[in-house]
Amino acid sequence: MIVTVAAMTTATLSASGARFSFRLDSDWARLRTDRRALARARTWTGDGPDDPLGAVVAELDDLDVIVRATQRGAPDGDAILLRLVEVARTGDELAGRVLLQRLLPALIARSMRYRGFHDDVDPVELVVPAAWEAIRSFDTARRRRQIAASLVSDAVFAAFRAPLRRMAATEEIRCPQRFVETIDTTPVQTPIEVLADVVVAARCAGVPAADLELIRRLVQVESPNVIAAERQVTARTIRNHRERAVRRVRDAVAA
């Protein structure tokens, strides 16, 4: 069974009691090599042999191949993203889920700055449904460049900035002193601080030091290729080690 993006509402995900991002990671780890999902993705062949998405999915054995093919600087990255949006808009929820996985790191990073506006809700839970709506309403005829950045911007606007504008329109004028007395000065954690807390919790839960060191190094250099060169192994080996480390951290922290 495929967990659809449209079904990922705040209410259902909050009820799970687990961190939203961990649930998304777990869902993707299961879905990316699911036989039925791969079979569906291989049907995204387009109208001809020159279709960039069709070339990627022709002999697909892992949905993450599509995600990597759309990263910044990848050949035909924007063209593949555009085709995925077009497929998703026909009602194919798997295409939407692949798009969400591609956008997720930027969505998390951008939404963290709004944590203080929703103290009782993880902001990622708000931005993910907004991302699905952004995909469904994206104008593929007029917006054909910087697809990922545009979708992230649309989602963040719908989830946070638009509600803040509506709040501003109904603001009451108050004495400045009253504002100073009532303002929340609680510091907001940055994504790096959140990651540090997770790493500490994972270490206390017994996750091997080698896994945690790999995660720290990946944060520093942001490239498996660099670490592969340092350790004289292939980039694929580093990616496999990364996935194993993330899985161990996720399981340890969730437990």
Side-chain angles (χ1 to χ4, degrees), residues 62-144:
D62 188 332
L63 294 177
D64 215 38
V65 172
I66 307 176
V67 175
R68 293 196 296 270
T70 61
Q71 296 297 325
R72 179 181 298 180
D76 299 320
D78 262 355
I80 296 173
L81 283 170
L82 200 62
R83 283 283 295 118
L84 282 172
V85 173
E86 292 172 345
V87 174
R89 291 186 61 185
T90 67
D92 193 314
E93 292 165 339
L94 177 62
R97 183 63 181 89
V98 174
L99 277 167
L100 174 63
Q101 192 65 27
R102 165 63 176 85
L103 302 175
L104 196 56
L107 289 171
I108 293 174
R110 291 280 300 275
S111 65
M112 284 302 103
R113 69 186 65 178
Y114 296 95
R115 182 185 295 274
F117 294 96
H118 301 278
D119 294 333
D120 57 340
V121 178
D122 184 343
V124 182
E125 295 183 22
L126 301 177
V127 80
V128 166
W132 178 237
E133 292 302 320
I135 292 168
R136 294 177 61 183
S137 60
F138 195 79
D139 187 347
T140 57
R142 299 181 59 185
R143 306 171 72 183
R144 306 190 66 82

Side-chain angles (χ1 to χ4, degrees), residues 4-221:
T4 65
V5 180
M8 292 180 179
T9 62
T10 298
T12 57
L13 290 164
S14 296
S16 68
R19 284 188 62 88
F20 188 16
S21 55
F22 289 154
R23 177 170 177 180
L24 290 173
D25 284 343
S26 178
D27 172 62
W28 182 251
R30 177 195 58 79
L31 180 63
R32 54 185 286 189
T33 55
D34 180 81
R35 178 174 53 82
R36 288 176 296 177
L38 291 172
R40 181 187 298 182
R42 294 188 194 107
T43 67
W44 302 337
T45 54
D47 299 325
D50 295 331
D51 175 44
L53 179 58
V56 172
V57 303
E59 299 180 1
L60 192 67
D61 60 359
D62 188 332
L63 294 177
D64 215 38
V65 172
I66 307 176
V67 175
R68 293 196 296 270
T70 61
Q71 296 297 325
R72 179 181 298 180
D76 299 320
D78 262 355
I80 296 173
L81 283 170
L82 200 62
R83 283 283 295 118
L84 282 172
V85 173
E86 292 172 345
V87 174
R89 291 186 61 185
T90 67
D92 193 314
E93 292 165 339
L94 177 62
R97 183 63 181 89
V98 174
L99 277 167
L100 174 63
Q101 192 65 27
R102 165 63 176 85
L103 302 175
L104 196 56
L107 289 171
I108 293 174
R110 291 280 300 275
S111 65
M112 284 302 103
R113 69 186 65 178
Y114 296 95
R115 182 185 295 274
F117 294 96
H118 301 278
D119 294 333
D120 57 340
V121 178
D122 184 343
V124 182
E125 295 183 22
L126 301 177
V127 80
V128 166
W132 178 237
E133 292 302 320
I135 292 168
R136 294 177 61 183
S137 60
F138 195 79
D139 187 347
T140 57
R142 299 181 59 185
R143 306 171 72 183
R144 306 190 66 82
R145 295 183 178 181
Q146 299 183 326
I147 309 301
S150 298
L151 287 169
V152 170
S153 180
D154 290 353
V156 170
F157 180 85
F160 307 112
R161 295 176 60 192
L164 287 175
R165 287 189 178 186
R166 289 194 292 270
M167 291 172 59
T170 58
E171 282 182 342
E172 297 181 10
I173 298 177
R174 295 186 176 183
C175 170
Q177 183 59 34
R178 184 176 179 183
F179 174 76
V180 171
E181 292 171 352
T182 59
I183 189 171
D184 182 4
T185 58
T186 303
V188 178
Q189 282 189 305
T190 66
I192 292 298
E193 291 171 334
V194 173
L195 176 61
D197 289 345
V198 171
V199 169
V200 170
R203 184 175 66 245
C204 294
V207 174
D211 290 338
L212 300 179
E213 178 57 31
L214 176 61
I215 291 174
R216 292 192 188 96
R217 188 65 182 135
L218 282 166
V219 171
Q220 290 173 344
V221 302

